[in-house]
Each structure stands twice: as structure tokens, then as C-alpha cells.
Amino acid sequence: MARTLIKNGKVISPTGVADQDVLIDGEVIAAVGAPGWFATAEAGCDKVIDATGKYVIPGGVDVHTHMELPFGGTYASDTFETGTVAAAWGGVTTIVDFAVQRAGEDVHEGLAEWHRKADGNCAIDYGFHQIIGGVDEQSLKAMSYLVEHEGVTSFKLFMAYPGVFYSDDGQILRAMQTAAECGAVIMMHAENGIAIDVLVAQALARGETDPKYHSYTRPSPLEAEATHRAIVLSHVAGNVPLYIVHMSAGDALEEVAAARHHGRNVFAETCPQYLWLTLEETLGKPGFEGAKWVCSTPVRSRDHDPHWKGLHGHGHQADLWRGLRMNELAVVSTDHCPFCFKDQKELGLGDFSKIPNGIGGVEHRMELIYQGVVAGELSLERWVETCCTTPARMFGLYPRKGIIQPGSDADVVVWDPNTPTKIGINDKHHMNMDHSAYEGFVVDGKVDTVLSRGTVVIEHDTFLGRPGHGRYLKRGLSQYLV
Ligand code: URP
Ligand code: ZN
Ligand code: ZN
């Protein structure tokens, strides 16, 4: 078994930054010691990585991706192969993607289809959540089976997208009751889809067809209202753990903070697009270009959202960064759901409601949240906690993933804080998309070396991994509950 030593780096964990060397034996971390501690072992190592002046962090864990998702009349443009290679380029060594079941479909078949898509194609390790788009007797039964036998311990429900994935309150309550019985986490897309559909129809009737109306017709109070309703339903269902996905709004965050103040198992994630992008600079671009940034929940206004003025007179982004510091937001994921502009986003030319919803970002989360550290929004420790450790704990992957400690998988990123990264279609860009949502962003740091279970997959600006290296992860129950 190959032995690797990473020496002279600063190891970052949620609880601190320390000068430490890391010894890897085969696929796992064998030991972590003071600098020089493994000097005698060094000669016997197959590879020595000198991390002088660099950070050594756990491989990123992105718990919200949609490879090959059929959506909006097309498919998310990354396959499990292209998407996981791009993830590796971004310092991500684990993804959790969403298998899909729609009304009338068999959950087991939906999960089997996702295994078929991923099996043998992934460059990094992966697990699955299950979307339950049709709550009925069969799908409820299947939920318990998946928890017990398949390592799928979290289920996503939708309060949005009527006619696609939408569940009504009664269906949500029943699914939550089932999850409470089997110890699973309910992940919620919290937007009032019925009200949104009315606003969309009214906007289109007024001839408001540009991409920016996607955000105007999904105002933040409809995210906050749905978040509140999901919290109430989860309480009534027996305090099932509730995890609100892709939170974009300060008023929705307030609902989560209040529930957490009452000791509830209510959690939320946000994504880089909500922390860095604004309606004015993206969706609001003239013509159809804004379609590149159509996703749900939407990218929101910087400071003059007609429905939301911000908790303390500032906008959503400041609230979200604060929420990350305060652990009101526990996780940063990407909701990676890429579509090309040509032929895919263009499906919505002349009608914003037909633009496939989604932004690609699996490659850039570690970079963009590190930039939050540079900007003084987060500590280095919190960067690692929100992007690596907590996602692993939240979804039953810890301590195998998300931490550098003896016995954990040797998923390790060497991070260079002294070399910038320019993101862009002709700069750093490996996702299967014809544009970048973060075109021109410059990050003051760089993914230097990436190891997945002890194998170097990125080094010297070269991908050295292979599709098929990644293994399916059967997950346990959440390890993050109050
Ligand atoms: O716009 C988005 N978020 N597309 C992916 C599906 C979802 O709701 O997460
Ligand atoms: Zn969603
Ligand atoms: Zn999503």
C-alpha cells in the first residue's frame, strides 16, 4: 500500500489551525503529528508532498449536486464523469447527488437509475439523497427501506414546482412522519410554489418575459413563509430533523434562527451564488444574458428588494454571511445544476418561466468560500467546518469524510493561499458548460494538490485521477442532531 507524507503544512480543522504533518497509509490517514514527527518514516514513503506555506484541509464535501438531472425539458449538462472531475479540480472529494422519483414512479427504480448513471463513472466518492416527488403508500414504504438497506438517509421534498416535484402540506406531513420514524433527515425546497405560479402567470400576461422576472416572481417572503411552514410541519411530525436547502433570503434565515433558538433540529445550507451574486449584476443584465443565473431559489437583489429591506438595514448577502458565522447556516453546498446557454437556457427565450433552473458551481465552492475568509466574513476554521466537516456530519459520513484525523479516508486538499485563481470559461473552468456563472472572479488562493482516498487526483495543474475511482458511499444517520 502506498504511503504518502504531507509535511510542513498548516492543518485546518473546525477547531483550529496547527503546524502538523500528515501520514497517509493506503486509503486512510494513518497519523497526524508535530512537524518532523515522521522524519524517520519519510524514507519509506512512496511520495512526499512539501506543503510549506500552504494549508492542508479535508477534501470538500458538496452535499447538493444534480448530475444529469432531467429538468425543465432538458438534462443538467454535467454527467457524473464530467461533474466529478470538475469537483476534483475544485478540491471536492465527496458529492451527495439527488436520485429522483416523481409522482407515479417507483422510488427503487429512481435510485437504481442514479446508480446506473454514476457507477463506474465517478472520479471521487459519492452518495445519494432521494427526491420524493410523489408521496404515496409505496414511496413512504420505500423511504424506510432506503434508510435501512441502501445508505440513503435523507429525502428531499419540494414546496415549489407544482406539477413537477411539488408536495402539498398533507403529503409533506406524511413523509416527515415516516422520516421521523426511521431517523432520516428531510431536506426541503422551501418556496411557496402555488403563489409563485400565480405571480409568474401575471407577469407573463403583462409581457414581462425577461430573466429578471424569475427573481421578481419568487419574492423572499414566499421563501420565508414556506420555511416557516416546513418548520411547523416538522414539529408536528415529531421533530423530524429538517434541513432547508439553498437558502437565499434573510427573512427565511430568520425563521431558521428562531427555530434553532428553541432547540429544534432545524438546519439550513446556502450556496456561493447567494453569497456573491446579485440580481442587479446577473439576472438583471440586458436582454437574455441573465438566463445564465436563473436558479431557484433565485439570486436576490442587493439592496432594493421591494419585499425585503434586510434585518438591520442591509441586504440578504450580509445576513447570509452572518448566518454562516452564527451557525444559523450550517453548510455551504453548490446546488450544482449546470445548463449550457446555447440550446438549454435558450429554451426560455421570450418566456423566463421556461428557462431551465440551475447554476453550475461544483468546481468553485471551496474557492468562493475561501474568498469569504479573505474578505473577513469567515475564519479559516469555519471555511472547513461549513464546506467539509459539517456536511459530512449532517449526512452520516463522519468521521470517514470531512476531517483530517487518523482512521479517516485520506481525502486531503493542499491549498495555496499565495497563488490566485481566475475563474472563467477561458481561465479555470472544467464543468461541462459553455459559460461560467462566476466569469472573471479572482480568488486569492488556489487548489494545489488533491488526494482522494490516498490517490493524488490533482497535482501541478493536471488531473491525474480516473473515472471509476470514486466509490458509492452508504451513509449512516445524521450525526449533527441537537
Ligand atoms: O435551480 C435549481 N435549484 N435547480 C435544481 C433543482 C433544485 O430545486 O434544487
Ligand atoms: Zn431545490
Ligand atoms: Zn438542488
Side-chain angles (χ1 to χ4, degrees):
M1 279 204 302
R3 285 189 134 205
T4 302
L5 177 65
I6 306 175
K7 64 176 189 179
N8 302 327
K10 284 190 187 306
V11 173
I12 303 175
S13 78
T15 53
V17 180
D19 292 325
Q20 282 174 326
D21 293 350
V22 179
L23 185 65
I24 293 167
D25 197 2
E27 298 198 341
V28 297
I29 294 169
V32 179
W37 189 256
F38 306 114
T40 47
E42 184 171 335
C45 284
D46 304 279
K47 184 171 180 69
V48 177
I49 298 172
D50 187 352
T52 301
K54 296 174 184 158
Y55 300 132
V56 180
I57 65 172
V61 180
D62 188 345
V63 292
H64 192 152
T65 68
H66 298 284
M67 308 302 174
E68 302 179 44
L69 176 72
F71 200 47
T74 182
Y75 280 80
S77 56
D78 264 318
T79 62
F80 276 89
E81 178 173 334
T82 63
T84 56
V85 170
W89 276 104
V92 172
T93 51
T94 303
I95 60 163
V96 187
D97 203 89
F98 288 83
V100 173
Q101 177 257 0
R102 288 180 211 77
E105 292 176 0
D106 180 9
V107 172
H108 299 286
E109 178 45 39
L111 179 59
E113 191 186 341
W114 247 253
H115 276 295
R116 281 195 293 274
K117 288 178 199 248
D119 190 23
N121 295 321
C122 292
I124 55 168
D125 289 353
Y126 61 99
F128 295 137
H129 312 285
Q130 179 72 49
I131 286 174
I132 303 290
V135 176
D136 56 26
E137 290 307 326
Q138 276 201 332
S139 58
L140 293 172
K141 216 168 129 202
M143 285 172 67
S144 310
Y145 186 90
L146 263 52
V147 172
E148 264 182 57
H149 302 284
E150 302 288 351
V152 176
T153 55
S154 39
F155 299 90
K156 185 177 177 189
L157 303 174
F158 290 78
M159 301 167 104
Y161 309 138
V164 187
F165 292 132
Y166 175 82
S167 291
D168 67 26
D169 289 356
Q171 291 172 313
I172 289 170
L173 184 63
R174 293 190 72 199
M176 285 180 165
Q177 287 169 332
T178 301
E181 276 163 26
C182 56
V185 172
I186 290 292
M187 306 173 79
M188 187 62 77
H189 181 131
E191 288 186 294
N192 186 326
I194 301 291
I196 285 168
D197 273 8
V198 170
L199 296 179
V200 168
Q202 290 171 344
L204 291 173
R206 287 192 296 270
E208 296 168 349
T209 60
D210 283 350
K212 68 182 175 204
Y213 294 103
H214 174 75
S215 187
Y216 292 169
T217 54
R218 309 179 91 89
S220 67
L222 295 184
E223 184 180 345
E225 182 276 331
T227 302
H228 179 80
R229 189 156 33 100
I231 290 169
V232 171
L233 291 170
S234 71
H235 190 48
V236 171
N239 277 325
V240 65
L242 173 67
Y243 177 95
I244 308 289
V245 295
H246 46 55
M247 182 162 281
S248 68
D251 35 357
L253 179 62
E254 246 188 301
E255 300 291 344
V256 168
R260 292 180 57 72
H261 181 71
H262 288 106
R264 301 281 316 285
N265 276 314
V266 172
F267 311 99
E269 67 174 20
T270 191
C271 312
Q273 54 268 36
Y274 308 117
L275 294 162
W276 287 115
L277 305 178
T278 63
L279 164 61
E280 289 78 8
E281 289 153 336
T282 59
L283 275 173
K285 281 184 187 287
F288 190 66
E289 199 190 343
K292 293 174 183 170
W293 295 277
V294 165
C295 61
S296 298
T297 55
V299 169
R300 299 205 177 274
S301 174
R302 165 163 284 154
D303 51 19
H304 49 89
D305 186 329
H307 303 278
W308 169 252
K309 298 285 184 248
L311 264 182
H312 306 289
H314 43 64
H316 297 287
Q317 288 187 349
D319 289 336
L320 295 177
W321 282 115
R322 191 206 63 237
L324 276 177
R325 287 192 291 277
M326 300 283 290
N327 206 31
E328 292 160 356
L329 288 161
V331 169
V332 182
S333 71
T334 55
D335 192 8
H336 176 76
C337 191
F339 296 102
C340 288
F341 189 74
K342 180 121 193 50
D343 295 339
Q344 292 198 297
K345 291 288 185 179
E346 281 177 354
L347 291 168
L349 266 168
D351 179 349
F352 70 88
S353 71
K354 295 202 163 50
I355 301 168
N357 284 205
I359 282 184
V362 73
E363 183 177 351
H364 301 308
R365 181 187 60 135
M366 300 302 289
E367 294 155 357
L368 291 164
I369 304 309
Y370 177 76
Q371 197 60 17
V373 176
V374 175
E377 296 284 2
L378 291 184
S379 65
L380 283 168
E381 291 91 334
R382 193 74 185 133
W383 171 47
V384 163
E385 188 170 24
T386 56
C387 293
C388 312
T389 316
T390 301
R393 293 178 65 194
M394 188 72 74
F395 293 106
L397 290 167
Y398 186 87
R400 184 166 170 195
K401 305 293 186 188
I403 192 83
I404 294 180
Q405 67 179 34
S408 295
D409 280 357
D411 291 358
V412 182
V413 175
V414 179
W415 183 270
D416 180 355
N418 296 309
T419 304
T421 301
K422 186 165 183 208
I423 299 173
I425 195 81
N426 295 315
D427 295 295
K428 182 171 186 276
H429 180 98
H430 299 89
M431 300 172 289
N432 186 34
M433 304 165 65
D434 60 2
H435 65 279
S436 171
Y438 302 99
E439 184 68 41
F441 271 56
V442 177
V443 173
D444 296 314
K446 181 177 189 291
V447 173
D448 179 289
T449 305
V450 181
L451 291 91
S452 165
R453 278 184 282 104
T455 297
V456 175
V457 293
I458 299 285
E459 191 177 43
H460 306 312
D461 292 319
T462 308
F463 175 70
L464 301 173
R466 64 172 176 88
H469 164 82
R471 289 192 196 135
Y472 176 65
L473 298 162
K474 277 194 168 188
R475 296 181 295 114
L477 300 184
S478 175
Q479 298 145 308
Y480 201 69
L481 307 187
V482 177

